[in-house]
């Protein structure tokens, strides 16, 4: 059985203010690593850049579409 804790039972913030990042900031960091690193071929990087243009201002959408194009599907809930 899963125990659910209410907010007042948590002993303090899980992350300090300095350690918090928004989802968008995390996605931008992932995208930067993908585009600047050796993990993707140049064709995949070009596709990813096109998706970033297509989803301007919504990097999480670009990353999700990129992952789906690469054959990665999120698990069913």
């Amino acid at each position: 059985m899963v125990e659910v804790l209410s907010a007042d039972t948590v002993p303090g913030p899980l992350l300090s203010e300095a350690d918090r990042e928004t989802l968008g900031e995390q996605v931008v960091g992932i995208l930067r690593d993908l585009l600047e690193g050796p993990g993707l071929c140049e064709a995949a990087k070009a596709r990813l850049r096109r998706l970033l243009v297509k989803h301007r201002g919504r990097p999480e959408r670009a990353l999700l579409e990129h992952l789906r194009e690469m054959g990665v599907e999120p698990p069913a809930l």
Side-chain angles (χ1 to χ4, degrees):
M1 176 185 264
V2 175
E3 183 179 345
V4 178
L5 300 175
S6 66
D8 58 331
T9 62
V10 177
L14 299 177
L15 294 174
S16 70
E17 287 296 322
D19 292 335
R20 290 189 184 168
E21 285 187 76
T22 66
L23 176 61
E25 291 169 335
Q26 292 174 19
V27 170
V28 167
I30 292 167
L31 292 168
R32 182 175 295 116
D33 289 346
L34 288 171
L35 292 170
E36 294 174 357
L40 293 179
C41 67
E42 289 306 314
K45 289 180 181 183
R47 284 192 307 273
L48 182 52
R49 287 184 189 100
R50 284 193 296 274
L51 290 171
L52 287 167
V53 170
K54 176 181 175 183
H55 299 288
R56 188 175 303 275
R58 303 201 57 199
E60 68 284 356
R61 291 278 184 192
L63 179 58
L64 181 59
E65 191 169 332
H66 168 74
L67 292 172
R68 286 185 171 149
E69 286 181 2
M70 300 297 289
V72 178
E73 287 293 326
L77 297 178

